[in-house]
Amino acid sequence: MHILVISDIHANLMALDAVIQDAGVVDGVWCLGDIVGYGPDPNECITRVRQLPGLVCVLGNHDAAMIDQIDLAAFNEDARLSIERLGPTLSEESREFLQQLPEAKVCDGITLVHGSPRNPVWEYILDTATAKRCFKSLATPYGFIGHTHVPVVFQLAKPEGKVQIQLLQSGDKLQLDGPAMLNPGSVGQPRDHNPYASYALFDTQEKTWENHRVFYDVLKVQRRIIEAKLPIKHALRLAEGW
Ligand code: ZN
């Protein structure tokens, strides 16, 4: 099966639509959380995600905050302002959709979480030391993670137990053959200094993972952010990918 793997859409509908179009026909979509937060179009993004074929989706920290499952004090000020401003605009259907999302899911023998296998909603895996500790909590050979907004793979070399990190560029294709945790990057707010929307295609039989980047109209989304009276920082960062 050809699976589109996406994460951290962050209410950026233009980026999400560009990814869906660029990925083409797929057998399923695995979404690693944070559909909402930061961006201007949370309801529209949830509606779009719900319509995707073979959808499996897990809960992100911003999703949880939007439905009052996480104390807003845990967020930085700009992130908090977006949630406070747009939380009340969530439709009943959107709210119900977020409420039923699990924190973790196993699909085809792969663990799907937003953060990490040991702390599914909150922990960032940014370095090999953290990844090494998280491999101990990974009950499946592969884990797909989001949250950091950086397309990356952590591979565990056996028997030494050394973890290697590789940042992924558009078009990079990996053949998986040992324990690995993979991040498709962020659809709606990339943070690797490349503003293009990021996603991955995973083949469940061949065990291949391909990273892709796609252009979208950043300027239009920046205008939407300003119209929605969200922090200007959320608009500025989209143009530079930070
Ligand atoms: Zn995020």
Side-chain angles (χ1 to χ4, degrees), residues 170-186:
S170 190
D172 283 352
K173 186 170 182 173
L174 304 173
Q175 176 71 59
L176 306 186
D177 64 354
M181 289 188 284
L182 300 110
N183 190 322
S186 169

Side-chain angles (χ1 to χ4, degrees), residues 7-10 33-38 60-62 114 124 146-149 186 189 191:
S7 191
D8 296 280
I9 297 162
H10 285 299
D34 276 2
I35 302 172
V36 300
Y38 294 120
N61 54 317
H62 286 255
H114 181 63
Y124 291 89
H147 200 29
T148 65
H149 300 207
S186 169
Q189 195 193 80
R191 292 182 192 161

Side-chain angles (χ1 to χ4, degrees), residues 144-174:
F144 293 175
I145 56 175
H147 200 29
T148 65
H149 300 207
V150 176
V152 69
V153 55
F154 296 95
Q155 287 179 291
L156 180 66
K158 283 191 168 173
E160 320 90 71
K162 209 172 162 217
V163 174
Q164 287 173 332
I165 181 173
Q166 184 186 347
L167 294 171
L168 299 175
Q169 312 289 334
S170 190
D172 283 352
K173 186 170 182 173
L174 304 173

Side-chain angles (χ1 to χ4, degrees), residues 30 105-112 117 135 138-145 153-155 175-182 202 204 206-209:
W30 295 353
K105 189 97 186 167
V106 175
C107 273
D108 275 276
I110 294 158
T111 300
L112 311 182
F135 269 114
L138 184 65
T140 56
Y142 306 116
F144 293 175
I145 56 175
V153 55
F154 296 95
Q155 287 179 291
Q175 176 71 59
L176 306 186
D177 64 354
M181 289 188 284
L182 300 110
F202 176 64
T204 58
E206 304 292 327
K207 298 283 185 287
T208 54
W209 173 279

Side-chain angles (χ1 to χ4, degrees), residues 177-241:
D177 64 354
M181 289 188 284
L182 300 110
N183 190 322
S186 169
V187 171
Q189 195 193 80
R191 292 182 192 161
D192 60 347
H193 304 286
N194 173 351
Y196 283 28
S198 186
Y199 69 95
L201 291 174
F202 176 64
D203 186 312
T204 58
Q205 270 97 44
E206 304 292 327
K207 298 283 185 287
T208 54
W209 173 279
E210 277 178 59
N211 180 251
H212 290 272
R213 301 302 280 259
V214 59
F215 171 82
Y216 71 96
D217 195 339
V218 170
L219 201 60
K220 258 191 192 162
V221 181
Q222 290 178 315
R223 284 204 199 103
R224 295 269 310 121
I225 288 171
I226 291 162
E227 279 163 19
K229 299 191 167 48
L230 298 170
I232 188 80
K233 183 179 166 188
H234 300 341
L236 295 175
R237 67 192 307 173
L238 291 184
E240 291 171 11

